C-alpha cells in the first residue's frame, strides 16, 4: 500500500488542484444553460462537460437528475451519466502516473465516444416529446469575487473532493494490496488468458455491479495487469466499473424509466467490450511501457515521500471531516424546533457523497426556500424545519432526483 501511495500521491494532488480550478469556472448556471434541447449539440456539450468533472458513479446520479429536472433531454442526461464517472482530471493524472500515457489518452477518448454514442442512441429510442423548460430561478450562479472563487475551488479540490473519494479509494488500495500480496503471478490469467472473449466477459461481469470510482479503479487495474490480465480486459474494468454499480442502476431506473435503463446497460456493456477489443488490437502495450511507469518512483525519493505524507494528511483530514458532518447537531435541531412550527423527518436512501447531500438540500430549498435542513449521510436521516412545509411536494422533488424515501 505504501508503494502504491508513492505512485499515486503526486498525480492525485495535481488532479485535486485542477479539479478545484475547474469547479471555479464551471458552475451550475453554465451547465444548465448549455444542456437542454433534444438535439446533437446538447448531447455533445453534455459529454464534453462530463469528462473533466471528478464525479464518482454515485455522485454523478443526483447531478444528472438535477440536469434532467432543469430540462435536459434523456439523451443529454445519459451522455453525462456515461462520460462523467469514467474520467475526471484527478483520475486522468493518476492514470498517466500509474498506467502510462496510452491509458491516460485512451480513457477520455473512450469516455467521449461512448458518451456521445449512448446519448444519441437514447434520443433515438426515446419517443417521448421533450419540452425544455428549465426552472431558472433555482439555478445557482456564482457571483463571488475571483479571490473567493479561487478559495472555494481550493476547498473543493482538497477537502470536498477527497471527502467523496476517501472511502472507495481506501477500499481500492486495500483490494489492490491484497491481490498483489496474496495472488501468485499469472494465477488469474492462467484460467482465462487462453480465451480472450471469456476474459472480457468475466471482467465485464465483475465490473458492472461493482462500486468503484474512476480513481480507485486505477491501483486495482495496475495490480490485475501485473497478474497477467490483458490490457483490453483491464480497460473494460476501467470503463464499466466506474460507469455502473448495483445501487446506481436502480436509481437510474427511477430517473430515466426502465426502458432507458435497459438501453443504458446494454450500451455500457457493448461500449466497454468494444473499446477493450480495440485497445488490444491497436494499442499493443508491452511490459516495458507499464513497468516504466509503475516502478519509476518505487525508490524512496524524499520528494515523493513528502508528497505521500501530504496526501495521507489530506485524506485523513477528509475522512475526519466526513465523519464530523455525519454527527447530527442536536442543539441546532432543538433550536429549529422552537423557532419553526413545522417539522418533517425523513430517511433518504441512496445518498453517498456531498453531491448527493447538496442535491437533497437544493430539492428541499426549491420547494420551501426558508426551510432549515440537517442531513446525516451515514444514516440518511434528513431533518427539515420550517413554516408551511409541503411534505408531498418535498417528497416528490427528492424522489425526482433519484432517491427513495422512508418516514
Amino acid at each position: 500500500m505504501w508503494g502504491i501511495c508513492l505512485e499515486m500521491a503526486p498525480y492525485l494532488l495535481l488532479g485535486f488542484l485542477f479539479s478545484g480550478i475547474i469547479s471555479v469556472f464551471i458552475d451550475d448556471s453554465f451547465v444548465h444553460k448549455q444542456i437542454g434541447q433534444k438535439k446533437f449539440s446538447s448531447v455533445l456539450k453534455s459529454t464534453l462537460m462530463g469528462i473533466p468533472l471528478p464525479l464518482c458513479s454515485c455522485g454523478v446520479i443526483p447531478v444528472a437528475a438535477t440536469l434532467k429536472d432543469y430540462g435536459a433531454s434523456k439523451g443529454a442526461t445519459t451522455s453525462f451519466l456515461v462520460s462523467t464517472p469514467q474520467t475526471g482530471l484527478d483520475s486522468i493524472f493518476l492514470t498517466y502516473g500509474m498506467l502510462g500515457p496510452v491509458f491516460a489518452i485512451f480513457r477520455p477518448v473512450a469516455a467521449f465516444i461512448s458518451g456521445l454514442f449512448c446519448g444519441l442512441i437514447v434520443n433515438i429510442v426515446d419517443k417521448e416529446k421533450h419540452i425544455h423548460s428549465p426552472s431558472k430561478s433555482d439555478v445557482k450562479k456564482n457571483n463571488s469575487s475571483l479571490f473567493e472563487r479561487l478559495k472555494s475551488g481550493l476547498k473543493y479540490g482538497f477537502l470536498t473532493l477527497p471527502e467523496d473519494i476517501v472511502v472507495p479509494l481506501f477500499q481500492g488500495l486495500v483490494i489492490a494490496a491484497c491481490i498483489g500480496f496474496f495472488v501468485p503471478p499469472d494465477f488469474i490469467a492462467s484460467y482465462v488468458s487462453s480465451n480472450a472473449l471469456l476474459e472480457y466477459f468475466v471482467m465485464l461481469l465483475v465490473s458492472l455491479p461493482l462500486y468503484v470510482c474512476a480513481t480507485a479503479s486505477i491501483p486495482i487495474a495496475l495490480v490485475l495487469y501485473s497478474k497477467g490480465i490483458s490490457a483490453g480486459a483491464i480497460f473494460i474494468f476501467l470503463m464499466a466499473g466506474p460507469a455502473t454499480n448495483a445501487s446506481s442502476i436502480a436509481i437510474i431506473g427511477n430517473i430515466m424509466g426502465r426502458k432507458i435503463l435497459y438501453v443504458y446497460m446494454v450500451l455500457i456493456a457493448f461500449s466497454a467490450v468494444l473499446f477493450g477489443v480495440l485497445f488490444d488490437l491497436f494499442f499493443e502495450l508491452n511490459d516495458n511501457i507499464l513497468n516504466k511507469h509503475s516502478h519509476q518512483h518505487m525508490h524512496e525519493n524524499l520528494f515523493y515521500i513528502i508528497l505521500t505524507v501530504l496526501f495521507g494528511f489530506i485524506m485523513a483530514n477528509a475522512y475526519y471531516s466526513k465523519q464530523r458532518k455525519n454527527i447530527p447537531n442536536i442543539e441546532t435541531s432543538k433550536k429549529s424546533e422552537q423557532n419553526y412550527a413545522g417539522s418533517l423527518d425523513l430517511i433518504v436512501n441512496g445518498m453517498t457523497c456531498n453531491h448527493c447531500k447538496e442535491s437533497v438540500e437544493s430539492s428541499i430549498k426549491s420547494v420551501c426556500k426558508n426551510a432549515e435542513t440537517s442531513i446525516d449521510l451515514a444514516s440518511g436521516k434528513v431533518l427539515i424545519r420550517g413554516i408551511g412545509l409541503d411534505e408531498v411536494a418535498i417528497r416528490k422533488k427528492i424522489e425526482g432526483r433519484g432517491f427513495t424515501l422512508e418516514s
Side-chain angles (χ1 to χ4, degrees):
M1 285 186 68
W2 172 251
I4 294 173
C5 287
L6 280 174
E7 287 294 314
M8 69 192 321
Y11 298 96
L12 205 46
L13 289 174
L14 195 60
F16 288 162
L17 176 62
F18 278 92
S19 296
I21 295 173
I22 283 287
S23 71
V24 171
F25 297 102
I26 301 182
D27 60 12
D28 292 349
S29 62
F30 176 81
V31 175
H32 296 146
K33 182 180 178 181
Q34 298 299 321
I35 304 174
Q37 299 180 12
K38 190 176 179 180
K39 54 184 182 179
F40 174 79
S41 60
S42 294
V43 175
L44 177 62
K45 291 175 183 177
S46 177
T47 305
L48 289 173
M49 284 190 288
I51 290 173
L53 296 180
L55 293 174
C56 62
S57 57
C58 279
V60 71
I61 298 293
V63 179
T66 306
L67 292 178
K68 187 173 181 295
D69 192 34
Y70 283 115
S73 66
K74 287 185 178 180
T77 305
T78 300
S79 63
F80 188 83
L81 282 168
V82 172
S83 65
T84 305
Q86 292 185 51
T87 59
L89 286 179
D90 55 331
S91 66
I92 292 173
F93 279 108
L94 186 58
T95 302
Y96 174 81
M98 300 189 75
L99 296 173
V102 178
F103 269 105
I105 294 172
F106 203 73
R107 283 192 85 182
V109 169
F112 170 74
I113 297 174
S114 61
L116 193 63
F117 170 70
C118 294
L120 293 175
I121 294 296
V122 167
N123 269 349
I124 294 172
V125 173
D126 180 31
K127 301 300 181 182
E128 294 181 14
K129 185 178 180 181
H130 174 68
I131 300 174
H132 176 49
S133 55
S135 177
K136 295 182 179 179
S137 61
D138 293 334
V139 178
K140 295 185 295 181
K141 185 174 179 61
N142 193 341
N143 294 315
S144 306
S145 64
L146 180 61
F147 175 77
E148 289 296 325
R149 293 174 73 180
L150 289 174
K151 182 179 176 181
S152 175
L154 290 175
K155 181 181 178 181
Y156 175 82
F158 291 98
L159 181 60
T160 304
L161 178 57
E163 280 183 25
D164 288 341
I165 70 170
V166 60
V167 174
L169 181 61
F170 180 74
Q171 291 170 343
L173 284 171
V174 171
I175 292 172
C178 288
I179 294 173
F181 184 79
F182 292 108
V183 179
D186 297 328
F187 175 79
I188 301 175
S190 62
Y191 289 94
V192 293
S193 60
S194 59
N195 190 331
L197 289 178
L198 176 62
E199 190 175 24
Y200 296 151
F201 177 75
V202 170
M203 193 58 70
L204 181 66
L205 204 62
V206 170
S207 303
L208 287 177
L210 185 67
Y211 176 66
V212 58
C213 66
T215 302
S217 65
I218 298 169
I220 300 175
L222 180 63
V223 174
L224 286 174
Y225 186 86
S226 70
K227 300 300 178 181
I229 299 294
S230 71
I234 293 300
F235 195 82
I236 291 174
F237 173 75
L238 290 172
M239 189 172 178
T244 61
N245 66 70
S247 58
S248 67
I249 289 170
I251 298 174
I252 291 172
N254 292 334
I255 299 171
M256 309 287 282
R258 287 191 175 184
K259 178 182 176 181
I260 300 300
L261 172 62
Y262 297 147
V263 173
Y264 173 83
M265 293 299 298
V266 171
L267 291 175
I268 286 288
F270 174 77
S271 300
V273 173
L274 175 63
F275 281 103
V277 172
L278 290 176
F279 201 89
D280 275 339
L281 286 177
F282 300 107
F283 295 90
E284 295 181 356
L285 299 181
N286 55 58
D287 290 338
N288 292 330
I289 295 177
L290 277 180
N291 286 340
K292 178 182 177 181
H293 285 85
S294 62
H295 298 293
Q296 60 183 343
H297 307 312
M298 292 302 288
H299 53 279
E300 299 287 310
N301 185 295
L302 181 61
F303 176 69
Y304 288 99
I305 291 176
I306 293 173
L307 290 181
T308 304
V309 172
L310 177 61
F311 168 71
F313 173 77
I314 290 173
M315 301 310 288
N317 178 67
Y319 182 76
Y320 174 71
S321 178
K322 184 182 181 75
Q323 295 303 116
R324 282 190 62 188
K325 288 181 180 179
N326 288 338
I327 301 174
N329 192 328
I330 299 174
E331 294 299 325
T332 302
S333 300
K334 287 181 178 179
K335 184 179 179 181
S336 298
E337 288 179 1
Q338 294 171 358
N339 292 339
Y340 295 109
S343 64
L344 182 62
D345 298 349
L346 302 171
I347 293 181
V348 180
N349 297 319
M351 293 190 298
T352 58
C353 63
N354 285 300
H355 291 95
C356 299
K357 181 180 177 180
E358 291 172 4
S359 182
V360 172
E361 287 177 339
S362 67
S363 300
I364 297 168
K365 291 288 185 181
S366 66
V367 177
C368 185
K369 293 182 179 179
N370 297 320
E372 286 190 4
T373 60
S374 176
I375 299 178
D376 177 17
L377 271 178
S379 64
K381 291 181 180 179
V382 178
L383 310 178
I384 309 170
R385 303 290 180 261
I387 299 174
L389 297 177
D390 188 341
E391 181 176 352
V392 175
I394 290 174
R395 283 175 170 272
K396 184 177 179 181
K397 199 72 173 180
I398 294 175
E399 288 173 345
R401 299 289 171 88
F403 303 103
T404 57
L405 290 170
E406 298 176 19
S407 298

